Amino acid sequence: MRLRANEYPKESARVIREEPHVRESVTGATLNFDAKRRAAYAEVDSEQWRHFAEAVKNHVLMNLEHYLEQAEAALERSGVRVHWAEDAEAAQRIVAALVREKGVKRAVKAKTMLSEELDINPLLESLGVKVLETDLGEYIIQLLEQPPSHIVGPAIHLNLEQIRRLFHERFGTPLDAAPDALAAAARKLLRQGFLEADLGISGANFVVAETGTLVLIENEGNIRLSTSTPRLHVALVGIEKLLPRFSDLSVFLSLTARAATGQRLGTYVSLIQGPRRPDETDGPEEVHVVFVDNGRSSVLADDEAWETLRCVRCAACLNACPVYRQTGGHAYGYVYSGPIGAVLSPGLVGLENTKPLPYASSLCGACFQACPVRIPIPKLLLTWRHRAVEEGLTPRFERTALKGYALAMTQPWAYRLASKALRLLPKKALDNTVVPVLKAWVEGRAGLQPSPRSFRELWEEGID
Amino acid sequence: MKVALFVTCLVDQFYAEAGVAAVRLLRSLGCTVAFPPAQTCCGQPAYNAGYWSEARQMAEHTLGVFEDADYVVLPSGSCTTMLRAFYPELYRDNPKMFARVSSLSSRSYELAEFIVRVLGITRLGQGLAGQRIAYHHGCHALRELGIKDEPIALLRGAGAEIVDWPAATECCGFGGLFSVKLPEVSLGMADRKLSTLPEIDVLTSADGGCLLHLSGRIQKRGLPLPVKPLAAVLWEATQNRKEDPHAA
């Protein structure tokens, strides 16, 4: 996916101005998800669950090499072939080799953000493989040739009318078709796709190191079909996705579903333990797991940003975020959007390529409260901002202004002088649109109106 | 009780009357109020923008101004958060300074929090009887410090009806420099928040920044919504004591 994160300020403004329906759709959908998440958290001792999940993930990350080796051995015992990809190119080479070796013509895909990160769809198409996204939302945006705008609801930036029009044009469904009818039309087409495919590509929510179990959570059933119908199943898995013990799933399955959609459990939970056995009738002939690094090791070595690797991709932080609600995910210009994208992306692809993202937040803290693994997103946003300053990535005028500000604020006489000056300025000066900062303020708000006299003047005169 | 008022730069410059109200309120509750004149800004704008060495300069200045105070009271949730949560964060790697700012942290309170938690008062009077008030929870006070019930208790205690506002705890979109770095997003957030307001007499908040932003937006859009800082509303609460049927 082309990295356009540095265009966030312009792009977010453009979406708000030119595509008001995006804000409407995203606001409605995320408020709904967030309300359900709150209700689902309230049913259990979610604070204790969150602390547990945080501790388990921290333990995995602190002992990652050990668990990766354990997972590899356990997966291979179950007959799964394990591959290692240092970066996107390596992952693409592994997938391309399998496609050629196995003569793959058609692929079905279960929803996976990692495949977006690795550009698997363009790769498959370049190899002449017909690719079908089988998650309904992913399928819709595949038809529109768009990337996902949300980790769990990839098409939440679209409204029903847009989807009706799209299906009408493509499949001839009526313009007033009910959502069920639209889903039925897609299902018919997707069903055919499952039967014809020789490759199923998925991600994984978790891989249990102890047992070598691939764990996938979903609501539509398409993941189970994608991973069991074609003769070949390839799972792309970030190296941070491990859980130590099978018993850890009891909390992680429910907590993830609660965080993502407010459900107690996903409608379908698949626990995949290798390819079809000789005495079994269903399942793929071969299962391959590609463990992908692609920047994760360097994030793990970062003494602040490593905490982002706890992420389980539930999108609870996106749903809770009033900033994300304004634009949806595309404006962020990278696979991972919203609060987690703003702190994860700089670690994965470099701060210089994602400069505006840590500023795409009012630091309200709603993301941290929602996060099932307690990633300190507000703190990490500040860390990245601080690094931008340290690395000289902030504008020169801003650096100068902040230096001057700090100087004035540590000299009481300078503060007094500034306070006097603020009152001597003609009113127009504060309403003007010449100074960039004031311009940005007054374009949407009334001009600043200082109190006629400052508090300190009133104090010095005496308060009765 | 001796209290040092950290009026904060925004109240000093833009809500001076709220600062006066805070003084009157604290005095009426039996406090002796001092205003250390060397105080300026807590440094939060620099901290939030990532300029931590500048933020430390301001933190050290503020520490010097308030280090001897028994209690520091601020009519601002966000600036209280700066002292309480972010000063220690700024000195994570400096044990000596960490100890000094932590000590200041433990003595610093947002105004409503101070009245309820330290003075142990929830009934100021009946000056708000019958008023429908919307309370905007500033994000920092709410989520960093957990101040949620205190301002509500004081307003309700004075007879106000706190209206049911679905977005009361949602960010208003101010966010300091965020409001000018990403103005469209910031304004969109304000509009969304305001659009969920029921009918009210007053919109109030402990945070000057949020109020500047919200009232600026309200004025620009010509909405008929009166906005008042919490300190001013709480002072109003103490008036008309005689009408309080429960007063001793």
Side-chain angles (χ1 to χ4, degrees), chain A residues 304 326 361-362 364 385-386 394 398 405 409 415 419 423 437 442 444-446 451 453-456 463-464, chain B residues 12-14 16 19 24 27 37 39-41 48 50-51 139 143 171 179-181 186 188 213 216-217 220:
Chain A
E304 308 267 349
Q326 292 299 314
S361 166
S362 60
C364 83
R385 292 180 187 187
H386 176 54
T394 56
E398 186 184 290
Y405 179 67
M409 293 297 157
Y415 178 86
S419 170
R423 279 161 189 81
V437 170
V442 299
R445 309 170 188 91
S451 304
R453 281 185 301 164
S454 68
F455 170 82
R456 88 187 40 225
I463 295 167
D464 53 8
Chain B
D12 191 13
Q13 301 305 327
F14 296 98
R24 290 186 173 137
R27 283 179 180 162
Q39 62 180 275
T40 58
C41 163
N48 283 352
Y51 293 82
C139 296
R143 279 179 274 267
C171 179
S179 63
V180 286
K181 274 182 185 266
S186 165
H213 164 69
R217 185 60 179 164
K220 185 87 174 186

Side-chain angles (χ1 to χ4, degrees), chain A residues 317-439:
Chain A
C317 62
L318 277 65
N319 298 331
C321 180
V323 172
Y324 175 86
R325 238 167 248 159
Q326 292 299 314
T327 63
H330 289 158
Y332 292 76
Y334 190 55
V335 184
Y336 305 107
S337 60
I340 187 62
V343 292
L344 181 59
S345 308
L348 289 178
V349 294
L351 182 56
E352 66 284 1
N353 298 313
T354 53
K355 271 190 294 186
L357 295 189
Y359 300 91
S361 166
S362 60
L363 302 173
C364 83
C367 48
F368 173 68
Q369 287 195 324
C371 180
V373 287
R374 296 174 40 85
I375 298 169
I377 296 175
K379 197 178 113 191
L380 291 171
L381 289 163
L382 286 168
T383 298
W384 286 116
R385 292 180 187 187
H386 176 54
R387 287 180 182 176
V389 171
E390 297 286 287
E391 290 168 24
L393 295 172
T394 56
R396 188 199 297 264
F397 75 86
E398 186 184 290
R399 288 205 300 275
T400 314
L402 264 298
K403 272 202 167 56
Y405 179 67
L407 202 64
M409 293 297 157
T410 47
Q411 305 292 334
W413 63 265
Y415 178 86
R416 273 169 185 274
L417 197 67
S419 170
K420 286 237 158 46
L422 187 64
R423 279 161 189 81
L424 291 172
L425 282 175
K427 191 181 169 300
K428 270 194 183 151
L430 288 174
D431 287 341
N432 79 14
T433 51
V434 181
V435 184
V437 170
L438 284 177
K439 180 176 186 238

Side-chain angles (χ1 to χ4, degrees), chain B residues 113-136:
Chain B
E113 182 194 25
F114 179 76
I115 294 170
V116 175
R117 297 269 164 234
V118 181
L119 299 181
I121 295 169
T122 49
R123 295 185 67 81
L124 296 171
Q126 283 295 298
L128 305 175
Q131 286 202 41
R132 283 163 306 178
I133 294 183
Y135 186 76
H136 162 67

Side-chain angles (χ1 to χ4, degrees), chain A residues 44-363:
Chain A
V44 296
D45 188 348
S46 60
E47 281 308 293
Q48 204 186 340
W49 286 30
R50 292 170 72 223
H51 276 100
F52 174 80
E54 176 189 14
V56 170
K57 276 284 183 182
N58 282 353
H59 173 76
V60 168
L61 294 170
M62 293 303 131
N63 301 281
L64 192 57
E65 224 176 281
H66 165 74
Y67 284 116
L68 284 169
E69 282 170 15
Q70 192 187 11
E72 179 180 35
L75 284 162
E76 289 189 337
R77 272 201 303 276
S78 304
V80 176
R81 286 275 314 279
V82 176
H83 309 258
W84 299 94
E86 198 182 332
D87 52 23
E89 287 73 38
Q92 291 184 355
R93 277 199 302 275
I94 291 163
V95 173
L98 283 170
V99 163
R100 290 200 190 95
E101 192 189 319
K102 309 292 173 191
V104 170
K105 296 275 177 278
R106 286 165 188 269
V108 280
K109 282 188 67 217
K111 192 172 158 24
T112 142
M113 293 303 279
L114 182 53
S115 94
E116 298 290 326
E117 187 186 320
L118 304 172
D119 285 320
I120 295 299
N121 286 13
L123 169 82
L124 291 172
E125 279 153 18
S126 76
L127 295 168
V129 177
K130 205 175 151 209
V131 186
L132 184 66
E133 291 287 351
T134 64
D135 174 273
L136 182 56
E138 286 282 350
Y139 178 59
I140 291 168
I141 58 171
Q142 186 185 23
L143 292 173
L144 293 169
E145 297 179 18
Q146 290 178 354
S149 71
H150 183 277
I151 298 172
V152 170
I156 67 164
H157 58 288
L158 300 170
N159 60 30
L160 183 57
E161 283 318 303
Q162 291 169 300
I163 296 166
R164 278 178 171 151
R165 219 174 310 127
L166 174 72
F167 276 50
H168 175 72
E169 286 161 17
R170 300 296 176 97
F171 314 121
T173 48
L175 271 169
D176 61 350
D180 284 357
L182 298 174
R187 186 180 294 126
K188 209 166 135 192
L189 208 135
L190 292 173
R191 181 74 33 131
Q192 194 57 32
F194 287 123
L195 295 173
E196 288 170 2
D198 30 32
L199 166 65
I201 291 188
S202 76
N205 291 94
F206 309 104
V207 171
V208 180
E210 175 185 50
T211 53
T213 310
L214 281 172
V215 182
L216 290 141
I217 306 173
E218 56 163 332
N219 283 325
E220 297 175 8
N222 64 303
I223 292 186
R224 187 161 294 174
L225 283 167
S226 298
T227 56
S228 60
T229 318
R231 58 188 161 87
L232 186 61
H233 170 206
V234 175
L236 305 165
V237 185
I239 55 169
E240 81 283 18
K241 291 270 179 168
L242 298 180
L243 289 180
R245 302 161 301 188
F246 197 78
S247 60
D248 295 321
L249 287 176
S250 62
V251 163
F252 274 91
L253 287 179
S254 185
L255 183 58
T256 305
R258 286 171 193 272
T261 50
Q263 292 168 281
R264 291 169 182 164
L265 210 56
T267 309
Y268 296 82
V269 175
S270 299
L271 306 178
I272 297 173
Q273 199 70 47
R276 183 202 309 176
R277 307 281 194 281
D279 57 340
E280 291 171 344
T281 50
D282 292 319
E285 293 161 15
E286 289 183 25
V287 177
H288 295 256
V289 166
V290 184
F291 279 117
V292 180
D293 187 317
N294 207 32
R296 286 159 176 76
S297 290
S298 60
V299 174
L300 184 60
D302 182 314
D303 59 7
E304 308 267 349
W306 70 272
E307 298 200 61
T308 56
L309 295 181
R310 288 201 294 269
C311 178
V312 296
R313 308 286 191 268
C314 67
C317 62
L318 277 65
N319 298 331
C321 180
V323 172
Y324 175 86
R325 238 167 248 159
Q326 292 299 314
T327 63
H330 289 158
Y332 292 76
Y334 190 55
V335 184
Y336 305 107
S337 60
I340 187 62
V343 292
L344 181 59
S345 308
L348 289 178
V349 294
L351 182 56
E352 66 284 1
N353 298 313
T354 53
K355 271 190 294 186
L357 295 189
Y359 300 91
S361 166
S362 60
L363 302 173

